[in-house]
Amino acid sequence: MHPNPLYRTDDRALCESLIDEIGFGMVFAQTPDGPRVAHTPLLSTGDGAVQFHLARGNALARHLEGSTALIVVNGPDAYVSPRWYANRDTVPTWDYIALELEGRVRRMDDEGLEAFLHAAIEKHEGRLDGAPWLASESSDKVWSGLFRGIMGFELEVQAWRPTLKLSQNKPAEERAAIADGLDAAGHAALAHLVRGFAA
């Protein structure tokens, strides 16, 4: 989380929407072999928990049950050049969106993992054009074989730490110039967010 409170928010609905929209993140935890990170799809339960799954062979999998872990969800980000300011007597910076979620982890039972997988498939297939792929298209042999190779987890979020660093510390005309520069550099999503904060 950024140390400047200007870049923080208490908007829980916004945090939930970031998890929903991005749907992917990193899980960090301590293990006997040192800190480890795993990259995984995420689903918010909508009531203060985030679900994910890992391969059984993942370096974190056997250490997560009952531990405190950190999930990081990264949104759009981009370099901000001083060339976009009227006064170039400054330094470069970076605009970005990130969400840190800290909490206790519990392992899901097979029923919970099955529900998580179906919900994740339905969610992401629904975002694609055309007829969705259905889990029922996977044979019992394939599904059960892959199912045995993963473990499901749920992190009960005890701390939400979002950062929305979108040049809020700049005057409106500079934010507009930054948004134009971001657009020209191919960062349309971030430019849109900077403009939204400028409005």
Side-chain angles (χ1 to χ4, degrees), residues 3-166:
N4 187 339
L6 182 64
Y7 303 134
R8 298 185 211 146
T9 179
D10 293 326
D11 188 340
R12 174 76 174 273
L14 176 60
C15 293
E16 293 277 5
S17 72
L18 287 171
I19 299 167
D20 180 62
E21 181 64 30
I22 296 166
F24 196 81
M26 295 167 282
V27 180
F28 298 85
Q30 185 66 35
T31 76
D33 298 320
R36 295 291 183 267
V37 62
H39 301 78
T40 182
L42 304 169
L43 276 182
S44 173
T45 63
D47 62 359
V50 177
Q51 298 177 332
F52 58 96
H53 77 283
L54 299 178
R56 284 185 183 275
N58 187 288
L60 276 181
R62 68 183 181 277
H63 303 293
L64 280 176
E65 174 81 35
S67 72
T68 297
L70 179 71
I71 292 177
V72 176
V73 179
N74 286 317
D77 68 272
Y79 173 82
V80 176
S81 172
R83 73 175 72 189
W84 300 333
Y85 305 154
N87 177 3
R88 291 167 63 132
D89 183 17
T90 185
V91 295
T93 190
W94 210 275
D95 276 354
Y96 65 96
I97 292 180
L99 175 61
E100 299 174 20
L101 309 165
E102 182 181 333
R104 299 287 289 174
V105 179
R106 72 165 186 86
R107 185 171 168 196
M108 290 191 282
D109 60 21
D110 285 353
E111 185 177 298
L113 175 57
E114 185 90 23
F116 162 80
L117 294 173
H118 286 280
I121 290 166
E122 184 177 328
K123 172 185 166 183
H124 294 291
E125 285 291 327
R127 292 178 170 177
L128 302 175
D129 291 335
W133 177 84
L134 303 172
S136 59
E137 295 179 60
S138 180
S139 69
D140 286 342
K141 179 181 179 183
V142 168
W143 184 270
S144 63
L146 293 173
F147 190 86
R148 285 192 305 269
I150 62 175
M151 299 166 69
F153 297 95
E154 183 172 276
L155 180 138
E156 180 186 351
V157 183
Q158 296 165 327
W160 300 76
R161 295 192 291 265
T163 298
L164 290 87
K165 186 175 180 294
L166 300 168

